[in-house]
Amino acid sequence: MNRHNILYFFREGVKSIFSHGFMSLASVTVMITCLLLTGTVLLLVLSVNLTIESMVTLGDIRAYVDETYTREEAEALENKLRMIPNVSGVDFIPNDRALEEMRDEFGTDAWLLDGLEYDNPLRHSYRIMVVDIDEYDQTIDDIESVPGIAEVHSSRESVNRLSVIRNVLGTVSIALVLLLGAVAVVIISNTIKLATFDRREEIAIMKMIGATDGFIRFPFIVESVILSQVAALIAFGLQWLAYTYIVSIGLSSIELIEMVDFSTVRYYFLGGFMGIAFVFGVLGSIISIRKFLRV
Amino acid sequence: MIRINDVYQSYGPGTRALKGIDLRIDDGEFVFIVGPSGSGKSTLAKLITAELRPSEGRVVVNDFNTSKMKMSEVPYLRRTLGIVFQDFRLIERKTVYENVEFAMRIVGASPREIKRRVSYVLDLVGILHKARRKPTELSGGEQQRVAIARALVNNPNTIIADEPTGNLDPDRSLEIMMLLQHINDLGTTVIVVTHEKELVNQFDKRVVAIDGGLIISDRQGGYFQYEQT
Ligand SMILES: Nc1ncnc2c1ncn2[C@@H]1O[C@H](COP(=O)(O)OP(=O)(O)OP(=O)(O)O)[C@@H](O)[C@H]1O
Ligand SMILES: [Mg+2]
């Protein structure tokens, strides 16, 4: 297989695409649809994930120390908290700082809090950050069981709910990839079947003059690769445009969901689309040519 | 070189096309295989080209044992043969030149070799002046010349032609046979399957006669001898 043949394979592959243009168009369209659907679900998963992450890593866990503890005793808890698995950061907030923070929040009404610094009613507390969101529940239980921790505030409920949504979406996206992948393989293999049918006499001639199966097969593989890569590129472009548009019309202004910035994932999407389309394209073409080579 | 030993060929139960064939064809020979319709001539030709594998017995073609070899070896056996068909089997969307060139491309020849060799064989079969035509623009005799050029282009050891003149008028048929004889004179083994006795009788060649799946005569010169036995 030399470089002159590579040109030949490419030319034949392109010619073949146009010799049954409608079917080629249909298979590209179906593949684009499959990729777009999968991509959209994936973007949703990523957005939900981002939302969860930003909720948790901002240090949403606040552990309050028993009010009978002195400041020194409260500070001594830090080591115990740090030793809990999955805890990435611990920030001690003595009650005087908590009061200051409160003052800041009150703004012009801060005078309401005047005098409290002599008999601070607030408790010492810790702000705690975690590594793995999947361990979130367990970590909170661990924090609660530390002697001296009276109460833990967290966005456990929301995180759990979002986790469920994310997991469902994740499963849906895997199912979609498989299902739509099967659809793509079928449509590609039918397109290539048509291509080999167009060329059945030539294939028979090629076999009689000593062409190897690989030589006969290659133009059809090239055809399916071209089709699949064209579909991947178009799907990527559409996904980018559509998503940017959705973000721009302000879906992200719904506070609840933080949306992924497409530019941070575009190379993964481009690579992913092209890779998936490539695999399904080649699979589809190999399946359909196999039968034709038995001459 | 072709060795066929005690070969039986059946197409499914009850249909025996060949019933014990022994045949040896040496390099450089010119052999006619003759016989009435349905006698098994094409079956024998297909055994040589490995389109069929023998149901029983042994077929060895240019050192390839077709009963034992792998599917993947078949192309390499066929590259030692030049196969010519009654219906020419040219690729219609390609020109004469491209049809012949294509056969060399398949075996991975370099563009330089291709250029030299294609022109040479097209000239040899007398069709070089129509190299840029499409097969549909040629007469049957001309198309068969192109097919022979294609069969020759990779310098095969043997040309095997099943009814190469079946679609041609007598004058054109004679021309094709003379071309094959010329090719044989240049050193290539030629095997021609035919049932046209007038044609065979114009050459003094080895004639293998088949009837009912058996070789009933194998001798030098003339189809008529087969009819007398
Ligand atoms: N594919 C097949 N399936 C079943 N039977 C077949 C097949 N090909 C040939 N036969 C049978 O095998 C026998 C020999 O056929 P073959 O084609 O070898 O004859 P032939 O000598 O080439 O005849 P012709 O001169 O008509 O071409 C015939 O009886 C034919 O019916
Ligand atoms: Mg026949």
Side-chain angles (χ1 to χ4, degrees):
Chain A
M1 199 176 291
N2 56 38
R3 77 195 142 86
H4 310 287
N5 281 347
I6 290 180
L7 243 160
Y8 157 78
F9 292 139
F10 196 77
R11 246 192 349 250
E12 291 295 305
V14 172
K15 271 189 211 164
S16 181
I17 287 175
F18 290 104
S19 76
H20 44 266
F22 181 75
M23 192 65 185
S24 303
L25 190 71
S27 67
V28 168
T29 313
V30 168
M31 263 190 295
I32 290 174
T33 314
C34 293
L35 289 170
L36 274 181
L37 273 170
T38 313
T40 304
V41 174
L42 199 65
L43 281 170
L44 264 173
V45 172
L46 289 174
S47 294
V48 172
N49 215 21
L50 193 69
T51 311
I52 297 173
E53 247 162 45
S54 64
M55 263 179 165
V56 172
T57 52
L58 282 177
D60 74 307
I61 303 176
R62 192 77 174 255
Y64 292 94
V65 179
D66 194 309
E67 56 193 11
T68 62
Y69 274 47
T70 65
R71 177 165 175 156
E72 285 69 31
E73 287 169 328
E75 265 177 295
L77 291 176
E78 178 164 341
N79 279 333
K80 280 195 186 135
L81 289 171
R82 278 192 192 283
M83 265 152 57
I84 294 171
N86 197 36
V87 164
S88 69
V90 172
D91 191 8
F92 180 63
I93 302 168
N95 59 358
D96 49 353
R97 203 170 107 206
L99 191 62
E100 265 165 46
E101 280 175 9
M102 212 165 157
R103 235 183 243 288
D104 287 345
E105 265 172 53
F106 273 46
T108 51
D109 295 330
W111 56 270
L112 284 168
L113 305 170
D114 281 354
L116 285 180
E117 58 268 28
Y118 304 113
D119 184 18
N120 195 334
L122 300 178
R123 291 173 289 185
H124 301 300
S125 65
Y126 283 93
R127 203 195 308 277
I128 298 172
M129 269 114 354
V130 298
V131 184
D132 186 358
I133 304 157
D134 293 329
E135 306 282 317
Y136 192 72
D137 256 8
Q138 180 61 45
T139 310
I140 289 173
D141 288 345
D142 288 348
I143 296 169
E144 278 173 342
S145 65
V146 171
I149 296 296
E151 205 179 332
V152 178
H153 288 177
S154 71
S155 33
R156 190 175 192 159
E157 305 276 86
S158 324
V159 168
N160 283 347
R161 213 170 301 137
L162 284 172
S163 291
V164 170
I165 292 175
R166 179 197 53 186
N167 291 344
V168 169
L169 283 176
T171 314
V172 167
S173 69
I174 290 170
L176 262 181
V177 167
L178 294 178
L179 188 80
L180 299 176
V183 172
V185 167
V186 168
I187 185 103
I188 290 201
S189 82
N190 274 309
T191 309
I192 300 300
K193 205 180 284 169
L194 202 69
T196 52
F197 192 75
D198 281 352
R199 296 272 156 97
R200 64 196 180 285
E201 277 162 17
E202 283 181 29
I203 291 175
I205 292 170
M206 286 162 83
K207 298 241 25 161
M208 291 318 286
I209 56 183
T212 57
D213 288 355
F215 185 94
I216 296 172
R217 197 184 286 142
F218 219 87
F220 299 110
I221 293 179
V222 169
E223 174 178 352
S224 70
V225 168
I226 293 174
L227 289 177
S228 69
Q229 295 308 292
V230 166
L233 289 175
I234 294 175
F236 173 74
L238 289 177
Q239 182 90 73
W240 190 345
L241 287 177
Y243 188 76
T244 317
Y245 177 71
I246 287 172
V247 171
S248 78
I249 62 170
L251 223 146
S252 65
S253 65
I254 301 172
E255 293 269 323
L256 210 65
I257 300 179
E258 188 148 344
M259 290 188 87
V260 176
D261 181 0
F262 195 78
S263 63
T264 61
V265 292
R266 64 183 165 201
Y267 295 115
Y268 298 105
F269 263 71
L270 186 59
F273 276 13
M274 289 175 78
I276 290 174
F278 181 87
V279 169
F280 290 150
V282 170
L283 215 66
S285 61
I286 288 176
I287 288 171
S288 60
I289 316 167
R290 227 180 20 201
K291 294 175 222 140
F292 260 89
L293 293 173
R294 303 262 151 259
V295 183
Chain B
M1 194 175 57
I2 294 164
R3 297 261 177 287
I4 295 174
N5 299 119
D6 203 23
V7 162
Y8 290 75
Q9 187 65 42
S10 57
Y11 294 100
T15 56
R16 275 217 153 147
L18 297 178
K19 302 166 183 166
I21 298 278
D22 282 289
L23 182 66
R24 168 186 167 143
I25 297 173
D26 287 323
D27 287 344
E29 280 197 86
F30 191 118
V31 182
F32 283 116
I33 294 172
V34 301
S37 186
S39 56
K41 305 185 295 293
S42 295
T43 304
L44 183 58
K46 284 176 182 167
L47 281 170
I48 294 171
T49 60
E51 269 176 272
L52 292 173
R53 303 209 181 191
S55 313
E56 273 174 62
R58 202 167 69 110
V59 176
V60 179
V61 178
N62 296 329
D63 297 329
F64 290 89
N65 184 335
T66 72
S67 29
K68 284 188 191 156
M69 71 185 180
K70 294 193 220 105
M71 277 303 270
S72 58
E73 284 182 272
V74 172
Y76 301 98
L77 160 64
R78 290 191 183 149
R79 289 175 192 185
T80 71
L81 301 174
I83 307 175
V84 176
F85 305 92
Q86 177 171 352
D87 55 357
F88 322 132
R89 307 234 184 134
L90 300 172
I91 298 175
E92 287 187 358
R93 65 190 177 95
K94 291 185 192 289
T95 64
V96 166
Y97 189 92
E98 287 164 351
N99 264 281
V100 179
E101 175 197 45
F102 187 57
M104 283 192 87
R105 195 188 274 289
I106 280 175
V107 303
S110 77
R112 268 180 74 172
E113 286 173 89
I114 291 178
K115 221 175 210 163
R116 278 193 50 238
R117 181 75 186 162
V118 173
S119 304
Y120 169 75
V121 290
L122 285 177
D123 192 35
L124 182 68
V125 303
I127 204 80
L128 187 57
H129 60 294
K130 297 205 169 164
R132 299 285 156 208
R133 301 283 186 86
K134 291 277 171 69
T136 47
E137 301 166 43
L138 303 182
S139 71
E142 288 169 332
Q143 289 188 51
Q144 195 59 297
R145 285 170 189 276
V146 177
I148 290 170
R150 181 182 62 193
L152 269 179
V153 77
N154 286 325
N155 214 349
N157 144 303
T158 304
I159 296 275
I160 177 158
D162 190 351
E163 309 273 9
T165 60
N167 288 1
L168 305 178
D169 64 53
D171 286 349
R172 248 31 71 198
S173 297
L174 187 61
E175 284 172 18
I176 291 293
M177 272 327 164
M178 288 175 41
L179 174 59
L180 289 171
Q181 178 173 256
H182 179 55
I183 289 164
N184 177 240
D185 290 340
L186 296 174
T188 310
T189 310
V190 174
I191 302 167
V192 178
V193 172
T194 183
H195 59 255
E196 294 173 65
K197 67 178 135 183
E198 289 81 8
L199 200 58
V200 173
N201 286 342
Q202 290 176 55
F203 296 84
D204 183 28
K205 300 293 182 191
R206 178 179 171 194
V207 179
V208 174
I210 300 185
D211 200 359
L214 286 166
I215 292 179
I216 54 165
S217 126
D218 179 354
R219 54 177 112 176
Q220 196 69 19
Y223 194 4
F224 59 90
Q225 293 181 349
Y226 139 70
E227 284 191 318
Q228 284 166 349
T229 49

